[in-house]
């Protein structure tokens, strides 16, 4: 029996590694957004990161993308909106938030995305929510509030939130909205769809870049800035997405989604080690609350139907079956 279990578990080992690296790369993006001011401006790095991702991706995906274009063309507006909101607007707000708030807070808010998905699914699609998930949402919101106020509860009475905290919450809300629409995507291979989304993200990043340039706020990368562009273009924008797709293919979306919970952990560690930010009792309690809330929301889900496919089971916590 032990040997049989080991044999059944061993094929999942590569997925665990890929998904852990994915969470580490996403956490690194939070730290980069804190480092970027002074080295490269938010809109410039947003455009350049997707330019890098597209340049690296297209030699492998261009032919498949062209072949699948008849299936993608009827959905071009949806792809443009999903790429514009889920990738471009998310990154624009995320990097702009890095000017005003710390990398720990950026990672904490990003870790709340799975819970925001549950809330939006409930509002938009009436997806059932268990008491355990309600508890998870409550804990995560308390943790996010603690992080946003930096432990100063008087901020709640005056609504004097840090501008960066508001921006990053808006970014996470946009990404959660993008996530619940993913199951409605055209029926094409994941790599092809991601390539189309990357192109959409690059195209929709150009107008905000033009505004930033026209207003005199654009900062072209210096040497450190180019290193950041290379990292976010190859890491969070490209490798993390491909690793996540492969991890989902190996162990399924339900189990793979749990690895998002590692983002705030890695983000806090990287912020302390690389940026030198303080990690006090307030940050520790906020991190614990966010992680506890995500754990409740993810682990205490409605049981899938006996004959449901993995995709249908996953859709119970993401969106209705389309």
């Amino acid at each position: 029996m032990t040997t049989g279990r080991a044999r059944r578990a061993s094929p999942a080992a590569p997925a665990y590694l890929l998904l852990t690296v994915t969470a580490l790369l996403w956490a690194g993006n939070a730290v980069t957004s804190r480092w970027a001011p002074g080295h490269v401006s938010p809109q410039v790095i947003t455009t350049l990161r997707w330019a890098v991702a597209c340049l690296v991706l297209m030699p492998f995906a261009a032919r498949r993308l062209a072949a699948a274009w008849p299936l993608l063309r009827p959905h071009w507006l949806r792809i443009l909106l999903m790429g514009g909101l889920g990738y471009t607007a998310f990154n624009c707000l995320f990097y702009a938030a890095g000017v005003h708030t710390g990398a720990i807070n950026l990672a904490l808010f990003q870790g709340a995305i799975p819970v925001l998905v549950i809330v939006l699914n409930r509002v938009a699609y009436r997806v059932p929510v268990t008491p355990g998930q309600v508890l998870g949402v409550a804990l995560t919101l308390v943790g996010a509030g603690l992080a946003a106020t930096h432990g100063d509860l008087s901020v709640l009475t005056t609504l004097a939130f840090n501008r960066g905290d508001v921006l990053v919450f808006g970014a996470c809300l946009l990404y959660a909205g993008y996530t619940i629409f993913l199951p409605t995507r055209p029926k094409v291979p994941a790599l092809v769809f991601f390539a189309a989304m990357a192109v959409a993200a690059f195209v929709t990043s150009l107008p905000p870049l033009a505004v930033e340039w026209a207003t005199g706020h654009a900062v072209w990368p210096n040497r450190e800035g180019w290193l950041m562009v290379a990292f976010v273009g190859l890491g969070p924008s490209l490798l993390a997405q491909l690793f996540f797709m492969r991890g989902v293919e190996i162990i399924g979306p339900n189990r793979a989604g749990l690895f998002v919970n590692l983002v705030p952990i890695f983000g806090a560690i990287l912020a302390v080690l690389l940026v030198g930010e303080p990690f006090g009792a307030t940050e520790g309690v906020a991190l614990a609350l966010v992680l506890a809330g995500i754990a409740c929301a993810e682990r205490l889900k409605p049981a899938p139907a006996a004959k449901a496919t993995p995709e249908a089971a996953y859709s119970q916590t993401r969106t209705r079956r389309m």
Side-chain angles (χ1 to χ4, degrees):
M1 293 296 293
T2 302
T3 303
R5 291 195 192 97
R7 289 177 179 174
R8 286 194 297 270
S10 58
Y16 299 150
L17 176 61
L18 290 174
L19 293 169
T20 300
V21 173
T22 296
L24 180 60
L25 290 171
W26 284 341
N29 186 55
V31 177
T32 301
S33 69
R34 186 59 176 166
W35 267 345
H39 300 288
V40 58
S41 57
Q43 305 303 334
V44 171
I45 192 174
T46 298
T47 299
L48 291 179
R49 68 179 285 172
W50 289 112
V52 169
C54 288
L55 287 173
V56 175
L57 184 63
M58 284 305 149
F60 305 96
R63 186 173 299 178
R64 298 181 184 180
L65 185 59
W69 178 242
L71 295 175
L72 294 172
R73 184 170 51 195
H75 307 281
W76 71 269
L77 182 57
R78 177 182 298 182
I79 293 172
L80 195 65
L81 289 174
M82 292 177 69
L85 295 177
Y87 289 166
T88 302
F90 171 80
N91 288 315
C92 289
L93 291 174
F94 202 73
Y95 289 124
V99 179
H100 304 284
T101 194
I104 292 176
N105 282 14
L106 292 173
L108 285 170
F109 275 101
Q110 190 174 2
I113 288 177
V115 177
L116 290 174
V117 170
I118 291 174
V119 173
L120 291 180
N121 271 330
R122 177 60 181 170
V123 172
Y125 300 125
R126 307 292 183 183
V127 176
V129 181
T130 66
Q133 289 174 325
V134 173
L135 175 61
V137 169
L139 289 174
T140 303
L141 291 178
V142 171
L146 185 62
T149 61
H150 307 286
D152 183 6
L153 298 181
S154 64
V155 173
L156 295 176
T157 62
T158 61
L159 297 180
F161 284 99
N162 182 296
R163 181 186 303 177
D165 296 326
V166 175
L167 291 174
V168 71
F169 180 77
C172 293
L173 191 61
L174 284 178
Y175 197 84
Y178 151 81
T179 300
I180 70 171
F181 285 111
L182 274 179
T184 69
R185 70 177 178 83
K187 303 302 181 182
V188 296
L191 180 63
V192 171
F193 184 70
F194 173 65
M197 293 285 290
V199 172
F202 173 72
V203 171
T204 55
S205 73
L206 295 177
L209 174 64
V211 172
E212 186 180 68
W213 193 280
T215 57
H217 294 98
V219 177
W220 198 252
N222 55 19
R223 183 178 62 181
E224 293 81 2
W226 278 115
L227 291 176
M228 296 177 193
V229 168
F231 167 71
V232 297
L234 297 176
S237 297
L238 181 60
L239 290 180
Q241 297 291 344
L242 295 177
F243 288 173
F244 188 76
M245 289 179 186
R246 179 55 179 162
V248 170
E249 182 181 354
I250 296 174
I251 67 174
N254 283 345
R255 294 162 63 192
L258 295 176
F259 282 78
V260 176
N261 301 344
L262 292 174
V263 172
I265 298 176
F266 288 148
I269 294 173
L270 290 175
V272 173
L273 295 179
L274 301 180
V275 183
E277 292 192 0
F279 190 86
T282 299
E283 289 78 16
V285 171
L287 178 60
L289 286 170
V290 170
L291 291 177
I294 294 174
C296 289
E298 289 290 340
R299 301 179 73 88
L300 302 177
K301 299 175 181 177
K307 295 183 179 181
T309 63
E311 291 78 8
Y314 187 57
S315 70
Q316 288 187 322
T317 57
R318 296 284 288 266
T319 185
R320 66 182 177 182
R321 186 70 172 168
M322 302 301 293

